Amino acid sequence: MIFSKQLTQWRDQVNENLDLFLPSENSHPTRLHQAIRHSMEAGGKRLRPILVLAAHQLFPNRIDPMPAALAVEYIHTYSLIHDDLPAMDDSDLRRGRISCHKAFEEATAILAGDALQPMAFELLVKGYAEYPELGLDLVRILAETAGNRHLVGGQMQDLLSEGKKPEEENLKYIHENKTAAMFRASLQMGLRIGNMGNNEDKMRMMGKAGRSLGLAFQSIDDLLDITSSSEELGKDADHDSEQGKVTWVTLKGEEEARKLAAQLTENAREELKKVGGDLEFLMELTSFLLDRKS
Ligand code: GRG
């Protein structure tokens, strides 16, 4: 299937399944469920769930990767809801919509993010109940990634670094953990579900590819933050510089940030080749992400 058709098809399938699995807005407690759906249904590229589906397709089998894809999107969406809070990035716009705490209020947004985290693990436990060893591995990968050492740890370091002297090592730590860790987990979870999931060398190499791709994605994100409008991005543009945040662009300049993204994308492609399997979609995705405009 051609790349753009497959991308749209997977995005649609993810959206349909999110709608199916998320509690309805009319179910109790309605305000919480409305807030969750407000942020989830606002759109979003669904990139991380697509990485799960694409990685599963490298060595496909009959096990459904969708519960894992949704679980990853639950964690990602929680992180965006909390990231937008006044105590964090204080953003008014997310995924083209008014952010969760502005549409509801802070307490509800905190609770919506809180609820999405155990809901993600519930999806994994129930979705892979027939394959307990696999289910446990998926829970481990996602829990480690979402926890103190990666997603939350990266966010902590990001907050501590605001307004401080830019340092490359520190910036790398933040991006590796805040952004790249979720790319790595998505690709590894998809691979783990598929036919080669017990191959440690492939899992390790997939981790490297996810790291490279995630860092490239962040470098492009930093560039888009200064070159695109809020309408184009669907989130507050120029937000990082306004907050005195260090980014690849503030540290190295636009040209270097672009070069870095291209080099990291090339690294990801080489690492993916070492994983093997039916790589057509993932290879095209790496170029698509490098050239993205939003
Ligand atoms: C623990 C209180 C508490 C908060 C956690 C971990 C965290 C808050 C925030 C990190 C979230 C974040 C903004 C990470 C940066 C990665 C990034 C560029 C996210 C945007 O990803 P896209 O562009 O978003 O794929 P869409 O909306 O398309 O899904």
Side-chain angles (χ1 to χ4, degrees), residues 32-99:
L32 179 66
H33 295 153
Q34 282 162 10
I36 289 174
R37 279 188 174 259
H38 170 89
S39 293
M40 203 64 105
E41 289 171 357
K45 295 180 280 297
R46 310 301 188 213
L47 186 56
R48 292 151 194 81
I50 288 170
L51 288 176
V52 176
L53 303 180
H56 176 256
Q57 193 190 254
L58 297 185
F59 303 100
N61 57 11
R62 293 168 64 91
I63 305 177
D64 185 6
M66 190 55 81
L70 301 186
V72 163
E73 186 64 19
Y74 281 18
I75 294 291
H76 171 60
T77 302
Y78 124 71
S79 82
L80 299 181
I81 295 172
H82 280 194
D83 193 52
D84 290 340
L85 289 167
M88 304 267 164
D89 260 13
D90 196 10
S91 302
D92 293 351
L93 191 66
R94 175 65 71 179
R95 295 176 159 173
R97 266 188 187 178
I98 182 164
S99 51

Side-chain angles (χ1 to χ4, degrees), residues 7 20 27 51 63 73 99 104 111 185 192 245 279 290:
L7 186 70
L20 210 66
S27 68
L51 288 176
I63 305 177
E73 186 64 19
S99 51
F104 295 82
L111 292 175
R192 176 66 187 86
K245 284 214 169 163
L279 282 167
L290 186 62

